[in-house]
Amino acid sequence: MIPVLLIVIPLVSGLLGFFLRSEKTARGWALLSSLVTLAVTLWGVGVDKTSPLLQANVEWLPDLGSRFAVGLDGLSLILSLLTAVSFPLIFIATWRDQYKRAWNFYALMLLSQAGLLGVFVATDALLFYFFWELALIPVYFLCSQWGGERRIAATFKFFVYTFVGSLLMLVGIIWLYFHTPDHSFSMESFYKLRSTISNSDQTWVFWLLFVAFAIKMPIWPLHTWQPDTYEQSPTATTMVLSAIMVKMGVFGVIRWLAPVLPIGTWAWGDTVSVACIIGMVYASLIAMKQDDLKRLVAYSSIAHVGLMALAIFATDQSGMQGVMIQMFNHGINILGMWIVVDLIERQFGTRKISQLGGLATKAPGLAILLVIVALANVALPLTNAFVGEFLLFSGVFTSTATQYNVVFTAVAMLSVILSAVYTLKMIQGVFYGKTNALTEKAVDIRLNEKVALGVIVVMIVFIGVYPKPVLELTKDAADFILTKMNYK
Amino acid sequence: MNAILLSAVWGIVMMFSGIFTTSKTAIRNVAVVGLVLLVLGNYADMIGYHLMTVNVHKMLYFDTFGLLGNLIAFGSTLLYVLLSGRDMEKVGHHLAEYFALIFFVLCGVAIVTTFNTLLMLFLGIEIISIPLYILTGADKRNLKSNEASLKYFLMGAFSTGLMLLGIAFLYGATQTGTFFIDDLWSGKTAVTPLFMAGLLLLLVSMAFKVSAAPFHFWTPDVYDGAPTVFTSFMATIVKVSIFVGFIRLFDEAFGDSQEKWQVFVAIIAAATLFIGNVTAVFQQSVKRMLAYSSIAQAGFMLLALLALNGVAKEGIILYAAAYSIATIGIFAVLIRMKDYTFEGFNGLARQQPVLAATCTIFLLSLAGIPLTGGFFAKYYMLSSVVATGHYLWLVIFAVLCAAVSVYYYFRVIQAMYFKDGDGATEAEPGLGFKGLLVVLAVIVVVLGVWPQSLLGQLSRLIYTW
């Protein structure tokens, strides 16, 4: 019931949104719809985990062995929560952004929300694939229509990259389907596959699925679409992409790859981990050299997501729980970063750090809020990311799945140090130093941005100080996945 | 049988209708009535009502697979005439004759989908081809149209010669000297070099007819030169019907020697996918792009020929429906455009939002994006090959080619939505035209969200053969 509502509400309100011919109404409609979705998600978090309200399963394609099966467990709940929280915040934070034919913009945003929520709640592989693509199409139109100057080329690159990955995943899913004993796409049947597929088959089918997820996250060396797309997309869409959409890749590995092909996952664990670590350090180094704020945040995102992927392959209780929590935290934090970037770009018409400076004296409210978000990005204690990254690192460090756990931890730590370097450099460049002609007439943030950033800061501190609720929410899901991932 | 009789008779009716009336609307209405009758007659055949009993001496065999193929062909033709019938008037003065020729083609289609001997296959293919040569050259004052017609005729005649040679070889290879395809099974006929030679010649000539690489060279020129209305007809209805015949031939006649010829089909499929998709990328004209895209789509349909299992047969029917409807829709819009290049579509979304939106759905379907019929069509093709357990490289190659196809399909979408221009149609399209396009788009989406509506029928019918 609840997961169906989570898909239906944004889908229907998105479709209706195309017919609202006024910017104001469309914006209000989108906010209203996203708030209703949030309320339903909170209801889902509140009810008992065994409640039938959290499941739905109706006939869809009996001849193909696929059903419209959706369900919410700890893993999908925390990601649905992230999606449901992010969208109202995005709408509030970009309330003053102007779009041509805004009704189409908001309608497509809602459709992408429907696709994302569908990905997270689907418990049928074919349905999952459906939503995986459905989330992509609106984003393609959003970026190509309302993005920056090089938007068409950048978006196209993004689309082709992810589409290649998706199609390979489709082949993988079809192959797995034919090897399920009961010819079914259901998650339960997929989780039983480990007993029927030989180890050697597991090792190559792994890549069919993993490439799709790796492109989405993105993991080095498949990340090259990401900075361009983030830079060229309208900020609201960039927020969706980086806060939620990259989590689709992480989620895909946790739900549809690691438990389905545990041997393949274990066998390639070290290879993937090395790629993750290279990506983390590499992206951090590039982020240090960026002058463009959007590109800086984009590269920092690659580094952070790389750490999550690393922890999945560590196959460890605290690491797995860390991934789930950190997905949420990273989404919230990067949302905060984007809100600041959007503000700066709108006020000064530039995103170049070198052209900015001295904002702290002119916009103290903004400066305080940004510093908190930035510290969370660096994972300082008392912020939410500290909880997440602590679990991640402890998971990687104590991992028994790999013999290189110490090396991995040490090198990954390096990227955390680098992340402090570029984040603090950015704060310095933008907020301190001398004001120039451009930043002289800066005004402080207004109500809508204050609300959005305020909510984010409250969440950052709350989870940082009292992480128990999110830990409890994800515990069972992490245990369950780990029993399925047992490679011995 | 109903379909063969009705289409032949109505072809003659159409020819004479040109004598009794000069009203173009009247002629078009007669054609629409004929097509409705054809669809109903074919459906009556499926549920067991026959207009008359003709002893065909087992030369034709009316099974559900063939009749379903007919139904898709006739239904698509009906939609096609409703959408683009008006545009045929612009080709030349002989509207009644054009319709007559289309009905004759449909008569050939009805034979090709239900043949039981190689002779009938040959007859059917010829009955399809000869009217098409004329239709290609219908625009008599246009040099390109004449050239296309001649080229098509020469190449077509050549491939027909190969087909005849193949049939003769197979005739010689059978023990008793027979054309019946059931007698070609290995129990009755040994797989000798003569047999294989005949089989390969048939494979080549059929591959020519469905424009599979490397026998596709006629396709871009003919599709480009022919009047656009008739290109739409050739690229969709004719092509998929011949595919139904192609599958039928290889399933019924050569099904048990599959492992001997499978590798040839795999190579042809890979070549077709590669050449069709890669060449389409470089086209400047949407019409030519669609010609190459039809080659690429044929590559996907060849996967069904490779697999030849239940999934493949269900899939080819679904593919035929999804591909025909989407392509007919795009061509219907293309015909109305002033400029056939990609630039001609610039800014169409602002001028004609309905046309652009429906076109987008058709293009997404051709690219195989979920929520459209094209996704399940491709899904079936891929899973039919995966089900055989071999040729996984071809499946992966096919999806990579499908990713390439996104490039040229999305170029049209980009032009319509994200580029500025006056993407103008020749005349303001009427409400009926727009309404029909929306109906087509709805069919495509229904096939993509709930294909059970069609598939449920299919599997029931095909497995109870």
Side-chain angles (χ1 to χ4, degrees), chain A residues 44-56:
Chain A
V45 174
V47 299
D48 187 59
K49 291 290 155 291
T50 52
S51 159
L53 278 173
L54 293 180
Q55 308 291 333

Side-chain angles (χ1 to χ4, degrees), chain A residues 59-64 100-101 126 129-130 133-134 137 140-141 144-145 151-153 156 159-160 163-164 167-168 170-171 174-178 185 204 208, chain B residues 350 360 364 367 369-371 375-376 379-380 382-383 386-387 392 395-396 399-400 402-403 406-407 410 413-414 417-419 448-452 455-456 459:
Chain A
E59 191 148 278
W60 181 37
L61 302 166
D63 290 343
L64 297 185
K100 271 196 230 165
R101 286 181 304 283
L126 196 64
Y129 180 79
F130 242 68
E133 293 282 343
L134 186 63
I137 302 289
Y140 168 77
F141 279 94
S144 308
Q145 181 96 58
R151 61 183 191 275
I152 295 182
F156 194 64
F159 189 86
V160 170
F163 195 59
V164 170
L167 283 171
L168 290 176
L170 179 64
V171 176
I174 294 175
W175 191 91
L176 291 173
Y177 160 75
F178 277 108
F185 281 104
W204 65 264
L208 286 180
Chain B
R350 230 145 294 162
T360 305
L364 291 177
I369 309 279
L371 284 187
F375 167 72
F376 276 111
Y379 169 84
Y380 264 80
L382 296 176
S383 60
V386 173
L392 207 72
V395 177
I396 292 172
V399 298
L400 293 179
V406 167
Y407 178 80
F410 274 54
I413 299 179
Q414 285 169 357
Y417 279 94
F418 314 134
K419 296 202 173 144
V449 179
W450 206 57
Q452 205 59 42
L455 292 178
S459 60

Side-chain angles (χ1 to χ4, degrees), chain A residues 234-256:
Chain A
T235 309
T237 313
T238 310
M239 291 175 186
V240 175
L241 276 170
S242 58
I244 314 166
M245 220 156 179
V246 295
K247 311 301 182 301
M248 277 166 65
V250 183
F251 170 83
V253 176
I254 301 180
R255 164 127 313 157
W256 292 104

Side-chain angles (χ1 to χ4, degrees), chain A residues 286-297 341 344 350-359 421-432 434 436 438-439:
Chain A
I286 295 186
M288 281 168 63
K289 285 282 155 208
Q290 291 300 320
D291 194 30
D292 185 305
L293 282 172
K294 264 191 164 179
R295 288 186 86 86
L296 188 150
V297 181
V341 172
I344 291 172
T350 179
R351 298 189 302 253
K352 299 261 179 283
I353 299 175
S354 52
Q355 293 175 11
L356 298 161
L359 271 185
V421 174
Y422 59 75
T423 312
L424 296 177
K425 235 178 94 180
M426 179 193 87
I427 295 180
Q428 239 174 10
V430 176
F431 286 90
Y432 300 101
K434 287 196 188 99
N436 55 25
L438 199 62
T439 52

Side-chain angles (χ1 to χ4, degrees), chain A residues 20 28 34 79 100 118 128 138 165 172 192 213 219 248 258 281 289 360 386 395 397 405 412 428 444 450:
Chain A
L20 301 169
S34 61
L79 283 164
K100 271 196 230 165
F128 166 75
K192 285 179 204 143
F213 301 139
I219 285 182
M248 277 166 65
V281 177
K289 285 282 155 208
F386 174 74
F397 188 68
N405 49 348
Q428 239 174 10
D444 208 357
K450 250 184 214 159

Side-chain angles (χ1 to χ4, degrees), chain B residues 32 66 85 138 218 243 260 279 339 342 378 380 402 422 458 460:
Chain B
V32 171
W218 59 276
F243 248 110
K260 294 216 167 57
T279 327
D339 181 0
F342 283 95
K378 284 214 164 69
Y380 264 80
D422 51 354
L458 279 185
R460 194 160 50 81

Side-chain angles (χ1 to χ4, degrees), chain B residues 162 166 169-170 193-207 215 250 254 260-262 264-265 268:
Chain B
L162 289 184
F169 280 2
L170 286 172
L194 187 65
F195 177 89
M196 274 312 282
L199 189 157
L200 287 180
L201 282 170
L202 269 182
L203 178 65
V204 166
S205 58
M206 289 302 272
F215 315 105
F250 275 72
F254 311 126
K260 294 216 167 57
W261 50 261
Q262 221 171 12
F264 296 105
V265 176
I268 292 177

Side-chain angles (χ1 to χ4, degrees), chain A residues 83 118 136 150 200 218 249 286 300 309 339 347 354 365 384 421 488:
Chain A
T83 315
L136 179 63
R150 295 189 294 110
S200 58
I286 295 186
S300 91
I339 293 173
Q347 241 186 63
S354 52
N384 57 355
V421 174
K488 276 160 198 149

